[in-house]
Amino acid sequence: MKDIARRAGVSQSAVSFALNGRPGVSDDTRDRVRAVAEELGWRPSTAARALSGEGVATVGFVLARPAETLGVDSFFLQLVSGIQEVLAERHLGLLFQVVEDVEDECAVYRRWWAEHRVDGVLVVDPRTDDPRTGVLDELGLPGVVIGGAPDERHPELSTVWADDAGAMAAVVDELYALGHRRIVHIAGLPGLAHTERRIRTLRAEAERRGLTGVESVTTDYSDAEGAAVTRRVLESSAPPTALIYDNDVMALAGVAAATELGRSVPGDVSVVAWEDSALCRMVKPWLSALSRDSVEFGRTAARELTALLDGGPARTVRVPVPRLIVRDSTGAASRRDVRLGAEFSLRTHE
């Protein structure tokens, strides 16, 4: 500040007023001080800004997932791209950390709050019984929950969510119309709110149609577990004729596992991936998939958080329902499979 004051020919207090946007100096003086500061490469100290209550221009993002699954997860890569695009426009930094579990995540929030490290946080993978929202309420830390259904218990937090139930219903409609009666959903991590919504919807759709050969199996989203579960269900006494995977990586691994077992896609088993990506078009056959604009999902979440930081009210924002794109990996169930499905359902009801 001494260097800027000397170069601009003003007092240090005038420099402080000008750089912090406070009244007390003329517009000409403010412009001159800022020009000199730019020439000297001056940037505000985040530590000093935190101590003065002005914020640190940083947003926090903690992910409680196995680190080895992140490098191939197209959804999170695109989500973060959208988040970063909006934050960059506002000159906000993104502080990212991977932890073992939700308890560790809560501890990170408490530490960041105590150390004035972030102005707000983006929360992903909401749980059915989530302790993180209570911690954020307690700390008074602004936050946006990404992927959670509206929650009136935490009115100070914004929510950005997609209709997973509607998307799952659309997939079941398509597979049922193709004659599939034995469907296995190879799901993601248990306990996640969106995983549970998808499982509940699949169960409800099966009950509505009288289907008993339908189930969900949870995994860690990895290709290894996707392939292992695929082998297990295809080698069962009543193998499914259709498989729904909760991400593109597991779907690709599932196609490879089915091929190794001598099953053709879609001749013997149809495959649908939840997340559409370039990977779905780099395998033969191309994968039918649920498509959504994950980058825009990230932009929306970041905009809602910056609105909170600007003093706006908490809101609930619903993004468009993922759209099913039908490609070569889904086809009609064989007449034999349809007949076996009906017989299996009849035996189960008896």
Side-chain angles (χ1 to χ4, degrees):
M1 289 182 67
K2 288 180 181 179
D3 292 339
I4 295 172
R6 184 167 54 253
R7 181 81 65 90
V10 298
S11 67
Q12 289 187 47
S13 59
V15 171
S16 178
F17 291 154
L19 295 180
N20 288 292
R22 295 172 181 168
V25 294
S26 68
D27 290 342
D28 287 343
T29 298
R30 192 183 310 278
D31 291 342
R32 186 165 72 255
V33 167
R34 288 179 175 175
V36 171
E38 186 69 26
E39 290 174 7
L40 295 177
W42 176 87
R43 292 293 181 273
S45 164
T46 55
R49 291 181 64 182
L51 289 173
S52 65
E54 295 179 12
V56 293
T58 302
V59 168
F61 185 14
V62 185
L63 193 57
R65 276 199 186 187
E68 61 271 15
T69 67
L70 300 182
V72 293
D73 194 319
S74 61
F75 170 73
F76 273 107
L77 294 176
Q78 294 179 62
L79 183 77
V80 172
S81 295
I83 290 170
Q84 184 58 41
E85 183 179 319
V86 172
L87 297 184
E89 293 172 356
R90 295 284 299 264
H91 303 290
L92 296 172
L94 182 65
L95 182 57
F96 178 70
Q97 187 164 341
V98 179
V99 295
E100 287 293 324
D101 51 37
V102 170
E103 288 72 23
D104 287 343
E105 185 172 342
C106 291
V108 169
Y109 292 149
R110 294 184 185 280
R111 184 171 69 254
W112 282 352
W113 177 83
E115 296 174 355
H116 303 284
R117 298 287 299 279
V118 297
D119 297 323
V121 295
L122 295 159
V123 181
V124 293
D125 289 342
R127 270 63 174 178
T128 50
D129 187 16
D130 203 322
R132 297 172 298 175
T133 49
V135 170
L136 296 179
D137 282 346
E138 172 193 335
L139 299 176
L141 191 59
V144 174
V145 180
I146 302 173
D151 188 348
E152 296 180 354
R153 296 172 299 175
H154 305 284
E156 300 304 315
L157 300 176
S158 287
T159 300
V160 177
W161 70 293
D163 184 5
D164 294 285
M168 177 61 84
V171 173
V172 177
D173 281 342
E174 174 69 17
L175 294 176
Y176 187 82
L178 291 171
H180 295 283
R181 302 296 181 262
R182 300 193 306 281
I183 304 169
V184 171
H185 168 214
I186 300 179
L189 290 166
L192 298 186
H194 64 261
T195 300
E196 299 302 324
R197 284 199 300 272
R198 296 172 191 178
I199 291 173
R200 286 195 306 269
T201 302
L202 178 63
R203 185 182 304 123
E205 292 294 317
E207 290 175 355
R208 185 166 67 87
R209 294 175 171 86
L211 304 180
T212 55
V214 175
E215 65 172 320
S216 295
V217 182
T218 55
T219 69
D220 65 356
Y221 284 111
S222 71
D223 57 335
E225 286 205 10
V229 173
T230 301
R231 294 188 194 97
R232 187 169 75 245
V233 298
L234 289 181
E235 291 180 315
S236 65
S237 58
T241 64
L243 297 168
I244 305 169
Y245 294 86
D246 261 6
N247 69 11
D248 50 353
V249 174
M250 291 197 297
L252 262 68
V255 170
T259 302
E260 290 171 3
L261 294 175
R263 314 294 173 86
S264 69
V265 177
D268 295 315
V269 61
S270 287
V271 169
V272 177
W274 198 273
E275 297 292 344
D276 190 21
S277 72
L279 292 178
C280 295
R281 302 181 297 279
M282 295 173 67
V283 64
K284 292 293 184 180
W286 282 16
L287 299 185
S288 297
L290 283 161
S291 177
R292 59 178 168 182
D293 191 341
S294 301
V295 175
E296 182 59 29
F297 204 171
R299 293 191 195 105
T300 301
R303 291 188 192 109
E304 290 305 312
L305 183 55
T306 57
L308 285 178
L309 299 181
D310 289 340
R315 302 197 314 154
T316 295
V317 178
R318 176 174 165 177
V319 299
V321 179
R323 178 172 56 92
L324 178 61
I325 298 178
V326 177
R327 299 194 180 103
D328 299 333
S329 67
T330 48
S334 69
R335 292 182 180 179
R336 174 180 174 275
D337 285 327
V338 173
R339 185 178 68 254
L340 290 176
E343 292 174 356
F344 178 78
S345 179
L346 180 61
R347 289 198 305 273
T348 303
H349 280 105
E350 291 175 345

